[in-house]
Amino acid sequence: MAIYLVDKPNGEIAAGVAKLDNEAKIVLIKDGVYLNPDTMPGKIYAMEDDVEVRGLKDRLAGKAETIGYPQLVDLIVADKVMNFA
């Protein structure tokens, strides 16, 4: 199991790697919140600040769980991290 930190420039690569992980947890960060969560495997999270500043709350509703920095730290401490930012 791993946490995948995904920004837009490497989104397709990250999604491809995450598909090999049956228990993937993907965290969309920065412009990664523009990516389509329907094309990604596993549990999808999006950083709340990045979603709000880009006005994407409605677009991601029901597709990605928005989290803040405390929740991100909890995920990072609990699992291995793969950084695609």
Side-chain angles (χ1 to χ4, degrees):
M1 177 184 315
I3 304 297
Y4 298 82
L5 301 177
V6 180
D7 195 358
K8 191 171 183 176
N10 298 313
E12 290 181 29
I13 294 169
V17 172
K19 286 180 182 177
L20 302 173
D21 182 350
N22 292 335
E23 298 178 14
K25 294 179 183 176
I26 296 175
V27 182
L28 303 175
I29 61 172
K30 303 178 187 176
D31 284 342
V33 297
Y34 287 115
L35 297 170
N36 183 356
D38 293 332
T39 64
M40 298 183 179
K43 176 73 175 159
I44 310 297
Y45 300 91
M47 292 304 298
E48 185 174 37
D49 290 349
D50 297 328
V51 170
E52 287 181 13
V53 81
R54 290 162 179 82
L56 299 174
K57 187 175 181 180
D58 291 338
R59 180 181 172 272
L60 292 174
K63 297 180 180 185
E65 180 181 340
T66 56
I67 60 172
Y69 288 101
Q71 294 90 352
L72 178 60
V73 170
D74 290 343
L75 289 172
I76 289 171
V77 169
D79 297 304
K80 178 181 174 183
V81 177
M82 304 291 284
N83 188 352
F84 288 90

